[in-house]
Amino acid sequence: MKVSRHMRAGPIGAAFGGLVLISAPLSPAQAATADRPQALPGTAAQRPANAIDLGAAPSGELVDFGILLRMRDQAGAEARLSAISDPTSASYGKWLTNAEFDASYAPAGADVAAVESWLRARGLTVRKTLPSGMYVEVSGTVAQVEQVFATQVRSYSWQGQTLRAITTAPSLPGSAPARVRSAIHGVIGIDQFSTLKHPAAVEPGPPPGSRYGVQPCSGYFGQLIAQNKPTAYGQKAPYAVCGYTPRDYQSAYGETSLLAKGVDGRGITVAITDAYASPTIYQDAQHYSTAHQQPLFRQGQFSQITPAADGYHMVNACGAQGWYGEETLDVEAVHAMAPGASIVFVGASDCASGLDEAWAETIDNHIADVVTNSWGDSTDDITMLGASYVAFYLQYSIEAALTGITVNFASGDDGDQTDGGADLADKSVDFPADLPFVTGVGGTSILIGAEGQWLGEHGWQNDYTSLKGGAWSPPPPGNYSSGGGGGTSQLFLQPAYQVGKVPVSISRYYGGAPMRAVPDIAVVADPNTGFRVGQTQVFPDGTYWAEYRIGGTSLASPLLAGMVAVADQARNTKLGFINPLYYQMLYTPALHHLTAPTSPIAQVRTDFTNFVDNSQGVFFRLQTIDVQSSTLHDTRGYDDETGVGSPHGPMFFTGEAAH
């Protein structure tokens, strides 16, 4: 969700061990000091300036939303996590069970029961309470929501969609019991502007019947030189690859020898969260594996958790077809890197609060050892997100980390959000990728040779220029297109694992206290060095399975999730909250330490003019890899374009030097 900029608030709360606490819980005495309403600060997100007010939302319209309850002893939870996630600690890897987490840090059962009872007494429907008790799924009419929480719900038109928003932050009435007022941390999902997510995929979608990776294109980097095209940077450029295959990435990142020994992620479960569910995903994935000589899914190796057929919402507003492409990319990418791992696809009812709930349930039910999420918000501006929304993700990411779940979030596909340095006021990182307890996965451009060898890798930041009148116009590098997200968070203070590793020029980019930097690590994301994906699509000449090339940090996150599954098996342990280990790997042979090209690297990209077929011919663009126009630059050591670097197996997977 690309949104307009607003004045930012400072870091939320106080630091503990280098991490951020959203706020201290209210004591019952504080909650009961007055009968006046108790506001829930920051819950009403600001709307984009171009949103058109359509008036009051229909009073009978049904609203699905959620109530966030406070964790107990959040400071204690973070301190415990600091010990068990430190690779040098004697307690490293002693993750909690979900029951142990609930006993120490989840809301008290009496608090949960009190909140549920109070909601029902107000005429609202409690749809479900998640196992930890931190989140209660609720529904009610617009009229009920306005009466219970003393707010107004209005409808807005924005980018062709009709979305709900609230005019003021909800509040709890003074008549609410002290226990309820103390337990409730926020309300999430009434305001759809704060919860709308987009998949982080480039090319976006894809829409029905799209094709990318069009001939002429190369089978490997540098194979086919565009001899009949103008020179770039003093030489002829090669055509971009048609799309790398599973074997290419397995080889380039050093997995091939491990896979041959049966170290393929077996015994590990990877969950993928997205909105909706492709009706042809299993058949598409099996077809893809057959086409590329990869192991088929065994019986029971792939499963889905999805709503009932009539349980999907906001299908047009969210663009369900695009999410089908996202699921296909995620499933095939995870299986490519971890062909032995079990995959569970968790499909949400929509791309707003439904996706929030699906993600939280994946953690609360400990569905998987690794969770990959290729979606997010293109800002960490709390005035756009709302403090309750941020608190929701913070609490569940703490639970995931404490219970040994590795959580990946794509860092986004808009670089530093400045349009290639053209608008520095717009500089931002993606949320939730900047949460301190998840891995923000950045993007690279990878160069793979004819034998699958790693030839080089750089940060993914692209410029394009087009072929016009026999010349590249404008002269290369051209215009900024896209790139892996990175930069400095304005929400979270610097976590302990980044202290002494992240340059001050990054951590203190905005001045003041050192802040969280993203990404943590990077994997291929450039769509021009991207993945060949197979999916059933609707073309003008029929509906059938076809392949296309795709990239984005939507590719990087599931590829890394598959690699973590292999590493879990190779090390015979669940690596869980893995960020401290990544930073311990800095400057070791376990990582490629990526830097910008010493001289420009360019490729010629071919596309159908209509992106479907050759009926209107093709057009050509010149891509310059890793342009240096934005504020993101890859240098030796940690940088905010590629993090600590990219995986360099097999040491990355085993922790032992290759022999």
Side-chain angles (χ1 to χ4, degrees), residues 228-233 236 464-476 478 604 619-622:
N228 62 344
K229 299 295 181 292
T231 59
Y233 306 109
K236 297 290 186 178
Y464 285 127
T465 182
S466 298
L467 183 61
K468 298 178 181 178
W472 299 118
S473 179
V604 176
F619 70 102
F620 300 94
R621 286 176 286 174
L622 182 81

Side-chain angles (χ1 to χ4, degrees), residues 238 343 378 593:
I343 295 177
S378 298
H593 306 291

